[in-house]
Amino acid sequence: MKISIGNDHAAPDYKKAIVEMLIAKGHQVINYGTDSNDSVDYPDFGHPVATDVSEQKAEFGIIICGSGNGIAMTANKHQKVRAALCWIKEIAILARQHNDANIISIPARYTSIQQAVEMVDVFLNTEFEGGRHQNRVDKISY
C-alpha cells in the first residue's frame, strides 16, 4: 500500500515510529511531516496528505498534531477525504468499519507512541463494512 503521512512539531517521534512500522510491513510511505520540534503550522502538513488521498496518489493518510483536531479539520476540507480523529484502537476500527475513513488523525499529546502505532496498524487492516453504513457515508459529501 502507498500511505501518505504528515505531522507538525508535536509528533516527529510518532511519525518516525509509524514510518518504521509501515516500511517493515512493506508499505510505501510519502512523508510530508517535519522532523523538528520547532513550531510549524499543521495545515502545511495536513493539506498535502489530504491531496494525496483525494487524488488517489495514496490509499490512506496519517496525520498527527497535538490534539489531532486542527489537522483533521484541515484534511476534511478536501473532497473524497474522511479524516477521523482517533485516540484508541477501538475508535480507529469503527472509523474504518462504519465511516470508511481514509485518513487517521492522531492526537500526539493524548496518546503514546505505542498506541499511535497500534492504531495505525488496525486502521490499515480494517475493512469498511458497507451495507447500512454506505448510505450514511454517501451523505457526508454534498
Side-chain angles (χ1 to χ4, degrees), residues 41-74:
D41 299 330
Y42 56 79
D44 296 340
F45 304 97
H47 282 303
V49 172
T51 297
D52 282 355
V53 172
S54 178
E55 295 178 358
Q56 298 180 337
K57 294 176 183 172
E59 294 171 65
F60 290 102
I62 302 163
I63 51 179
I64 318 161
C65 74
S67 72
N69 280 309
I71 204 162
M73 291 175 189
T74 299

Side-chain angles (χ1 to χ4, degrees), residues 33-104:
T34 183
D35 293 320
S36 171
N37 295 103
D38 295 337
S39 183
V40 294
D41 299 330
Y42 56 79
D44 296 340
F45 304 97
H47 282 303
V49 172
T51 297
D52 282 355
V53 172
S54 178
E55 295 178 358
Q56 298 180 337
K57 294 176 183 172
E59 294 171 65
F60 290 102
I62 302 163
I63 51 179
I64 318 161
C65 74
S67 72
N69 280 309
I71 204 162
M73 291 175 189
T74 299
N76 278 320
K77 299 295 183 191
H78 292 254
Q79 291 296 312
K80 302 178 188 170
V81 165
R82 289 172 305 283
L85 175 60
C86 300
W87 56 94
I88 57 172
K89 286 190 314 187
E90 292 79 7
I91 297 295
I93 291 167
L94 286 175
R96 287 287 306 128
Q97 287 177 335
H98 293 188
N99 310 117
D100 198 17
N102 49 19
I103 296 180
I104 183 170

Side-chain angles (χ1 to χ4, degrees), residues 6-22:
N7 62 284
D8 73 1
H9 55 276
D13 293 338
Y14 285 69
K15 180 193 66 180
K16 182 179 181 219
I18 291 167
V19 168
E20 286 174 1
M21 180 270 292
L22 293 172

Side-chain angles (χ1 to χ4, degrees), residues 6 10 21 31 33 36 39 46 48 50 56 61 65 83 91 125-127 135 138 142:
M21 180 270 292
N31 180 358
S36 171
S39 183
Q56 298 180 337
C65 74
I91 297 295
N125 289 296
T126 301
E127 295 292 325
N135 186 50
D138 291 342
Y142 63 86

